[in-house]
Amino acid sequence: MNLIRLSKSSVGNEEIRAVTQVLREGYLGMGEQVKQFEINLEKFFGRKVLCVSTGTSALQLALQACGIGSGDEVIVPSLTYIASFQAISATGAKPVACDVDASSLIIDSNDVEKRITKKTRAIMPVHYSGGVGELEKIYSIAKKYKLRVIEDAAHAFGTIHKNQLVGSFGDIVCFSFDGIKNITSGEGGCVVSNDKKLMKVIEDLRLLGVENDSANRYKNIRSWSFDVKHLGWRYHMSNIMASIGMVQLKKFEKLSQKRQALAKRYDDKLRGIGNVLPLSRDYDFVVPHIYVIILSKKINRSLLMTCLLKLGIQTGIHYYPNHLLTLFKSAYKLKNTEDIHQRILTLPLHPEMKLKDIDYICSQLESIVRN
Ligand SMILES: *Cc1c(COP(=O)(O)O)cnc(C)c1O
């Protein structure tokens, strides 16, 4: 029996050719390919883009470039990948966990406002499973309290919100191109912003703080005399990664339509099945990275996961709440997150799946949860 994987990179001959080309040229690090990928992404988003090594480093660099560090607090939903929390910690700042809306699983703006203190410097909304929720509310809170907004858009590459592409608006927007995201560059990520001063800082920070090194590297030239004024990191993207990313960006229309078609099929098939509730997302506009359902209380999730795996269906849990982890333990409760985290289940979603895979998964799921 073939295993239907929870997620999977979707790469083919074009990506193989692109990587081979870079290998033949023999300039593997950060160079012309990275510059070209950034130019292509800038056309996509309509504003300045910097590519980096991972989505996590994109978040860390964005925070650091805002001057956020030790003694500062950043509000972030607990229901996210550990990367969001560790990126904040990496700057020396404290991640302050907040709750999500119980039905969308997206950051709850009312709870955000409750978590604001004198130390709060930024809000990091997470576009869970591709949806952005009421992002305007987050921006109006940020304006009221003079906070920065660093959007963790790792799940939302390609999502349209009120006629605007996520990343084409907003303060600072960070994407991930890791192997299973909506597009991949192997590993990788990017920062998108209109803040020119901030982007200049990030450009240097990603190359160990070496001033103006990016401009040389774009031309495949090294800098031999330079100044360094800030703590920096080796977080640049390589030509190998960029060459994969460029092919994926070119294919994005196809990749995103596939993800949307699969998610719509799940919605159709699962509607009306008792004991499972799909998240409410409009897949004409949302490009889903994961497909999550909420199980009713009487369903034993781990048993369900075991049964599905025996039927060749791999499932997952996105995510175990960060505020319940030893490192990030909070002194307060987050009602919705704590109510829901034991009942969420992620079903397989990747562009190489077929509609009939979805039909198979849904019929197996139905027969298990019905009993
Ligand atoms: C994938 C992901 C990240 C981090 O991206 P990497 O490229 O894996 O470092 C951050 N936040 C969320 C919500 C993610 O899913």
Side-chain angles (χ1 to χ4, degrees):
M1 184 174 49
N2 281 332
L3 180 70
I4 303 176
R5 282 168 60 175
L6 176 61
S7 47
K8 185 178 180 302
S9 315
S10 179
V11 291
N13 287 330
E14 262 191 280
E15 285 85 351
I16 292 168
R17 271 197 296 276
V19 171
T20 307
Q21 180 65 26
V22 172
L23 294 176
R24 285 191 205 290
E25 282 164 10
Y27 200 101
L28 313 190
M30 177 170 158
E32 284 171 351
Q33 301 285 326
V34 175
K35 179 66 191 168
Q36 194 55 51
F37 188 29
E38 287 175 346
I39 290 170
N40 298 355
L41 286 165
E42 282 170 0
K43 279 186 200 141
F44 185 76
F45 290 116
R47 53 188 195 156
K48 179 78 180 154
V49 176
L50 290 170
C51 285
V52 292
S53 56
T54 60
T56 311
S57 60
L59 294 169
Q60 183 191 334
L61 293 175
L63 291 158
Q64 189 188 339
C66 289
I68 292 168
S70 174
D72 297 330
E73 293 178 355
V74 177
I75 300 172
V76 58
S78 176
L79 196 72
T80 182
Y81 189 34
I82 179 80
S84 323
F85 274 67
Q86 290 287 30
I88 296 166
S89 296
T91 68
K94 182 180 169 205
V96 173
C98 73
D99 214 347
V100 289
D101 176 80
S103 61
S104 70
L105 306 188
I106 295 168
I107 192 166
D108 174 357
S109 55
N110 293 321
D111 197 61
V112 169
E113 207 157 358
K114 279 192 225 156
R115 308 286 161 215
I116 293 175
T117 71
K118 284 202 181 81
K119 294 178 178 174
T120 308
R121 295 285 312 281
I123 308 169
M124 184 183 287
V126 176
H127 301 332
Y128 186 85
S129 86
V132 301
E134 298 170 310
L135 194 52
E136 305 68 37
K137 284 196 183 165
I138 299 300
Y139 275 101
S140 71
I141 292 169
K143 196 169 170 199
K144 183 168 157 195
Y145 295 93
K146 299 193 166 58
L147 307 175
R148 299 300 300 245
V149 176
I150 294 115
E151 297 177 35
D152 180 342
H155 290 197
F157 190 92
T159 286
I160 309 280
H161 178 62
K162 301 199 166 154
N163 285 322
Q164 286 183 294
L165 182 66
V166 169
S168 71
F169 64 95
D171 189 8
I172 309 163
V173 189
C174 297
F175 293 92
S176 162
F177 304 138
D178 79 25
I180 57 168
K181 293 285 163 51
N182 290 359
I183 67 166
T184 185
S185 53
E187 296 286 350
C190 75
V191 184
V192 190
S193 179
N194 264 346
D195 184 336
K196 289 205 176 71
K197 250 171 74 183
L198 177 115
M199 293 299 265
K200 182 71 194 77
V201 174
I202 293 175
E203 198 169 270
D204 293 345
L205 292 182
R206 69 175 169 180
L207 286 162
L208 296 168
V210 173
E211 286 193 335
N212 302 316
D213 197 22
S214 285
N216 283 336
R217 295 216 182 220
Y218 287 148
K219 292 180 268 175
N220 293 355
I221 296 169
R222 291 286 304 278
S223 314
W224 298 116
S225 51
F226 49 79
D227 196 14
V228 173
K229 297 201 186 91
H230 306 283
L231 171 64
W233 312 89
R234 201 157 156 81
Y235 284 171
H236 60 275
M237 180 179 274
S238 76
N239 276 347
I240 297 176
M241 297 154 89
S243 71
I244 300 170
M246 277 190 277
V247 175
Q248 290 264 303
L249 184 61
K250 217 171 61 185
K251 286 184 177 174
F252 181 63
E253 195 66 23
K254 259 196 199 152
L255 293 171
S256 62
Q257 280 171 4
K258 190 64 188 288
R259 283 183 178 275
Q260 290 173 320
L262 295 167
K264 284 179 190 175
R265 185 72 154 221
Y266 268 130
D267 276 2
D268 284 349
K269 293 280 164 180
L270 294 177
R271 196 179 302 131
I273 295 185
N275 295 323
V276 305
L277 189 68
L279 297 183
S280 152
R281 300 269 188 274
D282 185 346
Y283 294 113
D284 284 331
F285 302 101
V286 168
V287 182
H289 160 54
I290 50 176
Y291 188 88
V292 176
I293 56 174
I294 300 174
L295 305 170
S296 75
K297 286 205 169 83
K298 64 184 223 197
I299 303 290
N300 179 333
R301 182 177 63 183
S302 66
L303 195 60
L304 174 61
M305 292 176 80
T306 308
C307 290
L308 289 170
L309 191 59
K310 281 191 188 137
L311 295 161
I313 303 162
Q314 194 178 43
T315 55
I317 301 163
H318 295 89
Y319 297 91
Y320 187 76
N322 283 274
H323 79 286
L324 302 179
L325 300 172
T326 304
L327 183 60
F328 301 120
K329 201 140 271 178
S330 69
Y332 49 85
K333 278 198 172 307
L334 294 173
K335 187 175 178 309
N336 295 341
T337 305
E338 288 173 37
D339 276 355
I340 221 104
H341 85 271
Q342 284 159 330
R343 296 193 286 126
I344 50 180
L345 183 71
T346 308
L347 301 177
L349 182 75
H350 60 76
E352 293 182 6
M353 287 176 69
K354 300 194 164 64
L355 291 173
K356 72 170 182 29
D357 295 325
I358 306 286
D359 298 349
Y360 171 72
I361 292 164
C362 293
S363 71
Q364 295 302 331
L365 183 66
E366 182 175 12
S367 67
I368 299 166
V369 299
R370 207 174 36 205
N371 298 320

